[in-house]
Amino acid sequence: MLNIVIFGAPGSGKGTQSELLIEKYGLNHISTGEVLRKEIQDQTELGKIAEFHISKGHLVPDNLIIDMLADVLDSKKRGTGIIFDGFPRTIEQGKALDKILKDRGTDLSIVINLNVEEEELICRLLKRGEISGRSDDNIDTITARLKVYHEQTAPLIDFYKKAGVLVDIPAGGRSIDQISKEINEAVSRVYEKAMAC
Ligand code: B4P
């Protein structure tokens, strides 16, 4: 199975590039951000807790996200594989993902790390906020999200480097198509091995 983590700071293009990978490889998509926004819209218990954290730019607590992820994964047909978009976001979540995949007889094929300068991230998110009206795309929340990214999420880069699955992709100041082409080249290098087991 082709199991991909698409990784990067807020606004680095995880959602954008996930869509293109799904189209090309027929993967199932799990975006924890999207699942949480749906929970908020439905005003579930999890949604209410998520809303509290997301509105401040903080992460939703690991135990809630990890349980949610395992449930969503089991509700999906595996098919060719899964693209994990926005998960993991902490070392704890990274360790949990390894276990969740191992328990289901599979593993991680590749982690794509989208690198974008902070100035460009802020600019993209402010622009998205104007169009989407997302409540977390305002300057105060964006600043908090970037701080959280550096403190809690960026340590996963070393975690995945050590595991030998990380590929860095320059994803700032370039077109969506150029970035996608480079991602596809990286995925094609692991594709055969991933599909063999
Ligand atoms: P997410 O929904 O994952 O959102 P994101 O990181 O802000 O966006 P993404 O990187 O997908 O950016 P996009 O492609 O849209 O998370 C939202 C919140 O949910 C988190 O802050 C957190 O609170 C919570 N959460 C989610 N997962 C969690 C977890 N695992 N644990 C705890 N909490 C969790 O791109 C952004 C913009 O840039 C778009 O407008 C796009 O059009 C544009 N863009 C993309 N590529 C471009 C390019 N090459 N050039 C110019 N613009 C580009």
Side-chain angles (χ1 to χ4, degrees):
M1 274 178 72
L2 183 63
N3 295 313
I4 301 177
V5 164
I6 190 125
F7 185 88
S12 55
K14 300 185 290 291
T16 307
Q17 294 297 335
S18 291
E19 292 303 326
L20 299 171
L21 278 166
I22 293 157
E23 212 174 285
K24 184 164 169 71
Y25 293 99
L27 299 167
N28 271 303
H29 182 211
I30 302 180
S31 156
T32 42
E34 262 174 33
V35 177
L36 291 170
R37 282 189 286 281
K38 172 82 172 60
E39 296 281 336
I40 294 172
Q41 195 185 325
D42 295 345
Q43 280 295 290
T44 62
E45 279 313 303
L46 172 60
K48 287 176 194 163
I49 298 169
E51 192 168 24
F52 174 78
H53 293 284
I54 291 175
S55 66
K56 292 182 174 172
H58 296 167
L59 297 179
V60 175
D62 282 337
N63 60 330
L64 297 178
I65 289 285
I66 291 166
D67 288 349
M68 180 186 94
L69 191 277
D71 288 347
V72 175
L73 182 61
D74 290 336
S75 74
K76 297 250 180 204
K77 285 203 187 100
R78 307 276 167 80
T80 325
I82 309 273
I83 179 152
F84 296 92
D85 164 7
F87 183 93
R89 268 178 152 97
T90 63
I91 295 280
E92 184 91 359
Q93 292 180 21
K95 288 180 181 166
L97 180 60
D98 282 350
K99 182 168 185 319
I100 287 169
L101 291 176
K102 197 170 166 215
D103 288 349
R104 287 155 183 79
T106 186
D107 60 6
L108 204 51
S109 316
I110 189 167
V111 176
I112 293 160
N113 180 27
L114 301 176
N115 283 309
V116 183
E117 293 288 326
E118 196 137 317
E119 211 177 308
E120 186 169 344
L121 292 172
I122 294 170
C123 180
R124 284 185 192 180
L125 292 171
L126 287 174
K127 207 158 129 197
R128 183 175 70 183
E130 283 169 18
I131 301 160
S132 72
R134 255 175 69 166
S135 60
D136 55 346
D137 285 342
N138 61 74
I139 191 63
D140 291 342
T141 314
I142 292 167
T143 308
R145 286 158 70 195
L146 289 171
K147 186 166 182 281
V148 165
Y149 169 78
H150 290 299
E151 288 173 1
Q152 297 185 50
T153 307
L156 277 163
I157 294 172
D158 257 1
F159 177 84
Y160 283 127
K161 248 186 211 160
K162 281 185 190 135
V165 288
L166 189 93
V167 175
D168 282 307
I169 303 282
R174 304 168 76 201
S175 76
I176 289 169
D177 281 352
Q178 275 179 310
I179 297 161
S180 168
K181 190 164 169 280
E182 205 167 310
I183 291 175
N184 287 335
E185 284 166 8
V187 172
S188 70
R189 288 197 288 273
V190 300
Y191 185 80
E192 256 177 54
K193 185 169 171 253
M195 296 312 283
C197 52

